[in-house]
Amino acid sequence: MSPTGSASWWPWQSSIIAHKDEVIALKDKLIADKETQLKDLKTREEKLIAEKETQLKDLKTREEKLIADLKTREDKLIAEKETQLKDLKTREDKLIAEKDKLIAEKDKFIEEKDIRIAEKETQLKDLKSQLLQQEMQSLQELSRVKVIANNRALIEIAMQQYKSDLSLTKGLEMFVNEHLLTVGRDKTTLSMYGREVCNKLRNFGFAAKEDFVQKELKNLMHEISKPLHRPHVSGKIYTGYVVGGEPPLAEALAIVISKLQECKFVKNLDVLLVDGEGKCKCVLSNGDIVEYGEA
């Protein structure tokens, strides 16, 4: 039909319909292909996701195992270190205990040694004191029966009582400087005590200048080391301990011995002081200077 209704229209219409069906079929095919592709992509995606999940799970497992291994090693190292520290602490405590024991033993030994040394020193001091007393008693007893002329012996015994740890030279030097001399800026002079003794000695004929006496005191050790022979004693004097000599030696000896008597380093012994001619001028008694008849 024609477009106006005649039978000639149908072939053309059939052609359009056929083309439309082809388009629809092509579209369906494209859709099916896309769906297939999407399905494949979905399958591949799911497979990849599954693989990734498997990998992540494996990594997680490996990580947990590694962490567990590290924790085990760490715990083991900590335990070993704690054991080592404990052993070191035990050894340290043992060493400290041994050290403390040794120190205690050492301190005890030192204490015992100090006690023994102190006892020995006390015994030695007592023996020295007894010996000095015996020597002094010997001088006292001998002086009662004979004349003992010696410028050194009495001073030597007295210095042992004054400074037993020093030599005679050092002890006498210290005694003279401490008691009998005054050291000034410009010069050294006799102490007040030394000047007083010199003044008293002038009453008995000893008139040496104080400067000479001061120098003699500084050099006294040398002088008393010289031998003093028994002097000629006038009158009826046949006993006693005698010191003296020419001035200023006699004055220096008198100052030293009278000070030793005053300080109680010489006790119970009167000392006769003679001049250069051996004449008894006075007596040194208990730190004072008196006439022979008053002693």
Side-chain angles (χ1 to χ4, degrees), residues 3 10 15 54 59 81 108 137 174 224:
W10 290 108
S15 176
T54 301
L59 288 174
K81 291 296 181 183
K108 183 179 179 181
Q137 288 174 0
M174 181 178 291
I224 65 174

Side-chain angles (χ1 to χ4, degrees), residues 49-67:
I49 290 172
E51 290 176 351
K52 291 295 181 183
E53 288 178 348
T54 301
Q55 291 175 356
L56 288 173
K57 186 176 180 181
D58 292 341
L59 288 174
K60 181 69 174 176
T61 301
R62 290 174 60 190
E63 180 184 12
E64 290 175 350
K65 186 175 183 301
L66 181 60
I67 290 173

Side-chain angles (χ1 to χ4, degrees), residues 15-124:
S15 176
I16 291 173
I17 292 171
H19 180 70
K20 181 180 179 182
D21 291 339
E22 289 177 359
V23 171
I24 291 171
L26 180 60
K27 178 181 177 183
D28 291 339
K29 185 176 182 299
L30 289 173
I31 290 171
D33 290 341
K34 290 295 182 182
E35 288 178 349
T36 300
Q37 291 175 359
L38 288 173
K39 186 177 180 181
D40 291 341
L41 288 173
K42 180 69 173 175
T43 301
R44 290 176 61 190
E45 181 183 11
E46 290 175 350
K47 183 179 179 182
L48 288 173
I49 290 172
E51 290 176 351
K52 291 295 181 183
E53 288 178 348
T54 301
Q55 291 175 356
L56 288 173
K57 186 176 180 181
D58 292 341
L59 288 174
K60 181 69 174 176
T61 301
R62 290 174 60 190
E63 180 184 12
E64 290 175 350
K65 186 175 183 301
L66 181 60
I67 290 173
D69 291 343
L70 289 174
K71 184 67 169 62
T72 300
R73 291 178 61 189
E74 181 182 9
D75 292 342
K76 183 179 179 181
L77 287 173
I78 291 173
E80 290 175 352
K81 291 296 181 183
E82 288 177 348
T83 301
Q84 291 174 357
L85 288 174
K86 186 177 180 180
D87 292 342
L88 287 174
K89 185 68 169 63
T90 301
R91 291 176 60 190
E92 181 183 11
D93 292 342
K94 184 178 179 181
L95 288 173
I96 291 173
E98 291 176 353
K99 177 185 175 183
D100 291 341
K101 182 180 178 181
L102 289 174
I103 291 174
E105 291 176 351
K106 176 185 174 184
D107 291 342
K108 183 179 179 181
F109 175 78
I110 292 174
E111 182 180 358
E112 292 175 350
K113 184 185 73 172
D114 290 342
I115 291 173
R116 290 195 298 270
I117 290 174
E119 290 174 349
K120 293 295 183 183
E121 288 177 347
T122 300
Q123 293 173 1
L124 182 60

Side-chain angles (χ1 to χ4, degrees), residues 133-151:
Q133 290 177 4
Q134 290 175 2
E135 290 178 351
M136 185 64 72
Q137 288 174 0
S138 296
L139 287 180
Q140 293 169 350
E141 292 171 359
L142 287 173
S143 67
R144 294 190 187 103
V145 297
K146 59 185 283 189
V147 172
I148 302 175
N150 194 316
N151 284 344

Side-chain angles (χ1 to χ4, degrees), residues 254-279:
I255 292 172
V256 170
I257 292 174
S258 61
K259 189 64 178 179
L260 288 171
Q261 290 175 333
E262 183 182 272
C263 295
K264 305 303 180 183
F265 295 123
V266 174
K267 295 185 289 186
N268 303 321
L269 180 64
D270 292 337
V271 179
L272 282 63
L273 183 65
V274 299
D275 60 15
E277 297 178 356
K279 295 180 180 180

Side-chain angles (χ1 to χ4, degrees), residues 176-177 180-184 186-191 194-195 198 208-221 247-249 251-253 255-256:
V176 168
N177 289 333
L180 307 177
L181 296 178
T182 300
V183 179
D186 300 327
K187 64 177 182 178
T188 300
T189 60
L190 286 177
S191 66
R195 292 198 296 272
C198 281
K209 292 183 178 181
E210 290 184 3
D211 287 345
F212 294 157
V213 176
Q214 172 261 321
K215 292 177 182 178
E216 193 74 4
L217 280 171
K218 294 185 70 173
N219 195 41
L220 187 58
M221 186 63 223
L249 176 59
E251 287 89 339
L253 287 167
I255 292 172
V256 170

